Amino acid sequence: MTRYRHRVAFFETDAMGVVHHSNYVRHLELVRVQWLDEHDQPYRVYAEQGLHYATTHIEIDYRKSTGFDDVIEIAAWIDWVRGASMRINYELTCDGACVATASTVHAMVDRNGRARRIPRARVENLRRLALRPGPKAR
Amino acid sequence: MTRYRHRVAFFETDAMGVVHHSNYVRHLELVRVQWLDEHDQPYRVYAEQGLHYATTHIEIDYRKSTGFDDVIEIAAWIDWVRGASMRINYELTCDGACVATASTVHAMVDRNGRARRIPRARVENLRRLALRPGPKAR
Amino acid sequence: MTRYRHRVAFFETDAMGVVHHSNYVRHLELVRVQWLDEHDQPYRVYAEQGLHYATTHIEIDYRKSTGFDDVIEIAAWIDWVRGASMRINYELTCDGACVATASTVHAMVDRNGRARRIPRARVENLRRLALRPGPKAR
Amino acid sequence: MTRYRHRVAFFETDAMGVVHHSNYVRHLELVRVQWLDEHDQPYRVYAEQGLHYATTHIEIDYRKSTGFDDVIEIAAWIDWVRGASMRINYELTCDGACVATASTVHAMVDRNGRARRIPRARVENLRRLALRPGPKAR
């Protein structure tokens, strides 16, 4: 599990005085990059190999608002991995209170956006970290 | 149902050459504002009354990528409304192909972020438009 | 001269209740794309040719704030063009009042970011539109 | 002088494969907040007092592009301060090379956007740090 700390920027707030909900999607990406650094291989290595984890699904439940200069702590872990996709789960807290939970699914693609399998060494590594087997292919 | 056309800006693309997935969350907001214009009351009227539809849930399924200068057509409709919240569904197409589906749930709050009921006239109007009754309160 | 109308989105506002100043940089790009459509060739044609107008300078003077749902009208025109760069000027108004003035300078680059000359037909076209000769090369 | 390190996120890149120029405006804000932390008072204290440094001018010269996962180091210092405004200068480097220089001017406003003087204790502190006297009021 990775723990990422994000200090809220002023440009992330909106006229309700809180962080605009669209920004959380970007926070999830920041923590995914760190999660790969710590548990798999840096995302830039995938990118140099011409591989990307395209986002195919995102869901976020917002529980509490956050504001300028708050520090959001984001925990991320891998839920499941299959041959060509994986799911990451997230919990976002601020001052000890859960502010949001989220999950994202990613499918491996090449530079041209065509579906690819996750390289064998990587999928084996990810499987060791996953909480549960992936769903059967649809 | 509202149909909103969004021409993709260059600043919405990423280094994979496609629209970054976080931008779709913003597209959904653009179409919600137009949906309220056409079917309820302008969002700025809510805001002037000190009321906001805070986003409490978002989910997006991404089917196909889109790129610079593509025109994304977004259809939006209300799924359900309850006394203090509502759900909007979306289908995003580009050149006739579905590129994403999404839904968002919104809870009414006041200027201080406290939960409020949707004004009676508004909820009655929204109920006439909703596809189905809302889920029972949890 | 191009006139572009931009309706301010909620996600563009910040906790001061106004449009965050960083968003104007994106508005300028929106109007540039339309300006090229109307006066030169669509930016996507440049991109298909492997050419981009990289931004090398930007300056904005902010006069008045704008808020959610305001309509900002942006006028844009070419100031000068040289063999490999050009400058565009902008005036942003809202309800008839000037809210900002801006200018941007762009240098032609290829897909790898290397400096390139603007294609001859394009530079001749742009020269006919420019207000004044470009500065001497430094 | 403050030195701020920013690791480039994937969502900051564009279809040219580099950081979109609009993001630098946001980087400048990140470093300003840290500069105030280190040399004046936290921006959230100003905000709690109902005061904001509205941005009235921005200019950026882009020298070299940066890409995903690059670390941009941003140096910031105060150029001048007057009774109600100040100017901050910036130099952005990556791997030791200057990638951009910038400056921003900020005017103090209250919650309603009305011009205000910078509180005396703050302006005295800022004056000690400024490189040069401010320009005469226009």
Side-chain angles (χ1 to χ4, degrees):
Chain A
M1 187 185 292
T2 284
R3 293 193 173 279
Y4 182 91
R5 289 166 61 83
H6 175 73
R7 183 183 184 187
V8 172
F10 197 77
F11 60 74
E12 298 187 290
T13 60
D14 66 21
M16 290 174 62
V18 300
V19 173
H20 190 269
H21 66 280
S22 63
N23 290 306
Y24 290 75
V25 178
R26 300 183 168 193
H27 302 164
L28 303 183
E29 185 180 285
L30 294 172
V31 66
R32 275 200 304 284
V33 165
Q34 184 174 314
W35 184 87
L36 290 170
D37 282 348
E38 293 179 2
H39 295 98
D40 188 44
Q41 70 176 13
Y43 193 74
R44 71 174 169 275
V45 177
Y46 280 107
E48 285 161 7
Q49 296 168 340
L51 296 174
H52 284 282
Y53 281 114
T55 300
T56 58
H57 177 77
I58 191 157
E59 59 185 272
I60 305 178
D61 278 295
Y62 302 89
R63 309 286 178 86
K64 282 173 61 96
S65 61
T66 54
F68 169 62
D69 223 24
D70 281 348
V71 174
I72 304 177
E73 185 166 326
I74 309 176
W77 61 94
I78 186 167
D79 183 12
W80 53 253
V81 61
R82 297 194 307 186
S85 60
M86 66 168 165
R87 176 175 168 129
I88 308 284
N89 291 341
Y90 311 83
E91 188 182 39
L92 295 82
T93 54
C94 185
D95 287 330
C98 175
V99 296
T101 56
S103 49
T104 57
V105 180
H106 304 274
M108 182 124 282
V109 297
D110 65 18
R111 278 195 186 89
N112 302 307
R114 277 189 295 257
R116 292 283 299 272
R117 297 190 69 76
I118 300 172
R120 180 188 297 267
R122 303 271 53 83
V123 82
E124 285 175 359
N125 170 62
L126 295 169
R127 241 177 225 136
R128 279 191 293 271
L129 300 164
L131 288 189
R132 58 181 176 111
K136 291 294 194 309
R138 281 167 292 187
Chain B
M1 186 185 291
T2 283
R3 292 194 173 280
Y4 183 92
R5 289 167 61 84
H6 175 74
R7 184 184 184 186
V8 172
F10 197 78
F11 61 73
E12 298 187 291
T13 60
D14 66 23
M16 291 174 62
V18 300
V19 174
H20 190 270
H21 66 280
S22 62
N23 290 305
Y24 290 74
V25 178
R26 300 183 168 193
H27 302 163
L28 302 183
E29 184 179 285
L30 294 172
V31 64
R32 274 200 305 283
V33 164
Q34 184 174 315
W35 185 86
L36 289 170
D37 282 347
E38 294 178 4
H39 295 97
D40 187 45
Q41 70 177 11
Y43 193 73
R44 72 174 167 275
V45 177
Y46 280 107
E48 286 160 7
Q49 295 167 342
L51 296 174
H52 284 282
Y53 281 114
T55 300
T56 58
H57 176 78
I58 191 157
E59 58 184 272
I60 305 178
D61 278 294
Y62 301 89
R63 310 286 178 85
K64 281 173 64 95
S65 61
T66 54
F68 170 62
D69 222 24
D70 281 349
V71 174
I72 303 177
E73 186 166 326
I74 309 174
W77 61 93
I78 186 168
D79 183 11
W80 52 253
V81 61
R82 297 194 305 186
S85 61
M86 67 168 164
R87 176 175 169 128
I88 308 284
N89 291 341
Y90 311 82
E91 188 182 40
L92 295 82
T93 55
C94 186
D95 286 332
C98 176
V99 296
T101 57
S103 49
T104 57
V105 180
H106 304 274
M108 183 126 281
V109 296
D110 65 18
R111 278 195 186 90
N112 302 308
R114 278 190 294 258
R116 292 284 300 270
R117 296 190 71 76
I118 301 172
R120 180 187 298 268
R122 303 271 52 84
V123 83
E124 285 174 0
N125 171 62
L126 295 169
R127 238 174 228 141
R128 280 191 293 270
L129 300 164
L131 288 190
R132 58 181 175 110
K136 291 294 195 305
R138 281 168 292 186
Chain C
M1 188 185 291
T2 283
R3 293 194 173 277
Y4 183 92
R5 289 166 62 83
H6 175 73
R7 184 184 183 185
V8 172
F10 197 78
F11 61 75
E12 296 187 290
T13 60
D14 66 22
M16 289 175 64
V18 300
V19 174
H20 190 270
H21 66 280
S22 62
N23 291 305
Y24 290 75
V25 178
R26 300 183 167 193
H27 302 162
L28 302 183
E29 184 180 287
L30 294 172
V31 66
R32 275 199 305 283
V33 164
Q34 185 174 313
W35 184 85
L36 290 170
D37 282 348
E38 294 178 4
H39 295 98
D40 187 44
Q41 69 177 12
Y43 193 75
R44 72 173 169 278
V45 177
Y46 281 107
E48 286 160 8
Q49 296 167 341
L51 296 174
H52 284 282
Y53 282 113
T55 300
T56 57
H57 176 77
I58 191 156
E59 58 184 271
I60 305 178
D61 278 293
Y62 301 90
R63 310 286 177 85
K64 281 174 62 96
S65 61
T66 55
F68 170 61
D69 224 23
D70 281 349
V71 174
I72 303 177
E73 186 166 326
I74 310 175
W77 61 94
I78 186 167
D79 183 11
W80 52 253
V81 61
R82 297 193 306 185
S85 60
M86 66 167 164
R87 176 176 168 127
I88 308 284
N89 291 340
Y90 311 83
E91 188 183 39
L92 295 82
T93 55
C94 185
D95 287 331
C98 176
V99 296
T101 56
S103 49
T104 57
V105 180
H106 304 274
M108 183 125 282
V109 296
D110 65 18
R111 280 195 185 88
N112 302 308
R114 277 190 295 257
R116 293 283 299 271
R117 295 189 71 76
I118 300 172
R120 179 187 299 267
R122 302 272 52 85
V123 82
E124 286 176 359
N125 171 61
L126 294 169
R127 238 174 228 141
R128 279 192 293 271
L129 300 164
L131 288 189
R132 56 182 176 111
K136 291 296 194 307
R138 281 168 293 186
Chain D
M1 188 186 290
T2 283
R3 293 195 173 277
Y4 182 92
R5 288 166 62 83
H6 175 73
R7 183 183 183 187
V8 171
F10 197 79
F11 61 74
E12 297 186 291
T13 61
D14 66 21
M16 290 174 64
V18 300
V19 174
H20 190 271
H21 67 279
S22 63
N23 290 305
Y24 290 75
V25 179
R26 299 183 168 194
H27 301 163
L28 303 183
E29 185 181 284
L30 294 172
V31 65
R32 274 200 304 282
V33 164
Q34 184 174 314
W35 185 85
L36 290 170
D37 282 348
E38 293 178 4
H39 295 97
D40 187 43
Q41 69 176 13
Y43 193 73
R44 72 173 169 277
V45 176
Y46 281 107
E48 286 161 6
Q49 296 167 341
L51 296 174
H52 284 282
Y53 281 113
T55 300
T56 57
H57 176 77
I58 191 158
E59 58 184 271
I60 305 178
D61 278 293
Y62 302 89
R63 309 286 178 86
K64 281 173 63 98
S65 62
T66 55
F68 170 61
D69 223 22
D70 281 349
V71 174
I72 304 177
E73 185 165 326
I74 310 175
W77 61 93
I78 187 167
D79 183 12
W80 52 254
V81 60
R82 296 194 306 185
S85 60
M86 65 168 165
R87 176 175 168 129
I88 308 284
N89 291 341
Y90 311 82
E91 187 183 38
L92 295 82
T93 56
C94 185
D95 287 332
C98 176
V99 296
T101 56
S103 50
T104 56
V105 179
H106 303 274
M108 183 124 283
V109 296
D110 65 18
R111 280 195 184 89
N112 301 308
R114 276 189 296 256
R116 292 283 299 272
R117 296 189 71 76
I118 301 172
R120 179 189 298 267
R122 303 272 53 84
V123 82
E124 286 174 0
N125 170 62
L126 295 169
R127 237 175 230 141
R128 280 191 292 271
L129 300 163
L131 289 190
R132 58 182 174 110
K136 291 294 194 307
R138 279 167 294 185

